[in-house]
């Protein structure tokens, strides 16, 4: 059985949990970080060069980094609807996944840690507001994409790209600061919320 190291409140671990739900994979969640056994234990550090969760063990295969794990699972289990083999379609999905891991992910960090996690040291009001403005700008990028596709972020059908993007939209909605009106994003969120995997690991999975 697939072994997944991490904790369920982590947004990156929830990417993998949601992917497992879409693919229909059984897994064993091994608590690591987030109040469980610490990630700095040598037994865990030996699994990943990055020292962070999530990490999967699939037999002899060990993979770190959430988006790499999603691609691996979709490829291994032949889920062409989630990650097509056609180069153009696959590249469009990769484009959104890579953007989420860089620009989108970094935009919300300060505001989220300050207002939701209430992390000590994140109390600069100007930095909070700047982070939220940037986050709103990133959501506008998703809004324009959805207006063009009429369905999901990389096209008319659900793909791997919607897992990181959907969870980031859920995080955007969780921040108790001013949100600009985004009708296509709101409709997208409702479509995702009808999916059992997102309902469990997004809507009810934490901010």
């Amino acid at each position: 059985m697939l072994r997944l190291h991490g904790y369920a409140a982590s947004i990156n671990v929830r990417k993998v949990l949601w992917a497992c739900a879409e693919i229909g994979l059984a897994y064993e969640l091994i608590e690591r970080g987030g109040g469980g056994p610490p990630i700095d234990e040598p037994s865990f550090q030996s699994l990943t060069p990055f020292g962070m969760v999530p990490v999967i063990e699939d037999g002899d295969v060990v993979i770190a980094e959430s988006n790499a794990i999603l691609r691996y699972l979709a490829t291994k289990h032949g889920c062409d609807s989630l990650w097509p083999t056609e180069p153009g379609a696959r590249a469009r999905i990769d484009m959104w996944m890579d953007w989420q891991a860089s620009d989108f992910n970094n935009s919300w960090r300060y505001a989220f840690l300050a207002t939701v996690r209430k992390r000590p040291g994140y109390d600069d009001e100007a930095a909070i507001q700047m982070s939220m403005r940037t986050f709103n700008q990133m959501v506008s990028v998703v809004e324009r994409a959805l207006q063009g596709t009429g369905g999901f972020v990389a096209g008319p059908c659900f793909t791997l790209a919607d897992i990181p993007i959907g969870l980031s939209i859920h995080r955007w909605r969780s921040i108790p600061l001013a949100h600009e009106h985004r009708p296509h994003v709101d409709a997208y969120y409702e479509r995702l919320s009808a999916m059992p995997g997102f309902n469990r690991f997004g809507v009810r999975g934490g901010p």
Side-chain angles (χ1 to χ4, degrees):
M1 182 183 293
L2 184 73
R3 291 160 56 89
L4 168 60
H5 297 263
Y7 59 101
S10 161
I11 191 171
N12 287 323
V13 174
R14 283 185 281 141
K15 290 181 192 178
V16 182
L17 292 170
W18 184 7
C20 287
E22 295 302 323
I23 297 170
L25 289 179
Y27 57 86
E28 177 188 5
L29 179 61
I30 301 168
E31 288 292 331
R32 180 67 64 178
I39 61 174
D40 60 2
E41 289 185 352
S43 61
F44 176 71
Q45 291 292 316
S46 67
L47 295 175
T48 167
F50 312 120
M52 301 292 288
V53 297
V55 175
I56 62 166
E57 293 181 273
D58 188 23
D60 294 333
V61 176
V62 180
I63 306 290
E65 287 294 299
S66 57
N67 287 348
I69 293 170
L70 299 191
R71 294 175 177 120
Y72 167 78
L73 293 176
T75 301
K76 178 179 178 180
H77 296 281
C79 297
D80 288 350
S81 64
L82 294 179
W83 203 41
T85 57
E86 194 279 312
R90 177 170 285 193
R92 282 189 294 274
I93 294 165
D94 286 343
M95 174 183 74
W96 285 105
M97 296 176 75
D98 292 348
W99 177 76
Q100 184 276 335
S102 55
D103 297 31
F104 204 12
N105 202 44
N106 287 325
S107 69
W108 52 255
R109 191 178 310 280
Y110 200 100
F112 179 77
L113 292 176
T115 63
V116 179
R117 293 284 188 245
K118 301 189 184 303
R119 184 80 56 84
Y122 288 81
D123 52 8
D124 184 325
E125 186 60 33
I128 293 170
Q129 294 302 323
M130 175 61 75
S131 176
M132 195 62 194
R133 283 196 297 273
T134 305
F135 200 6
N136 277 320
Q137 291 168 3
M138 297 297 105
V139 174
S140 295
V141 175
V142 179
E143 173 78 5
R144 290 192 295 271
L146 293 169
Q147 186 175 10
T149 65
F152 296 90
V153 73
C157 300
F158 179 85
T159 68
L160 281 188
D162 295 294
I163 294 178
I165 296 296
L167 288 172
S168 294
I169 293 297
H170 177 65
R171 178 149 289 186
W172 175 68
R173 291 167 62 99
S174 76
I175 294 179
L177 296 172
H179 294 74
E180 299 172 4
H181 181 53
R182 297 286 182 263
H184 295 283
V185 167
D186 290 345
Y188 174 63
Y189 188 82
E190 291 303 314
R191 283 192 291 278
L192 294 179
S193 297
M195 303 175 67
F198 181 71
N199 191 270
R200 180 178 177 186
F201 300 113
V203 177
R204 295 187 291 113

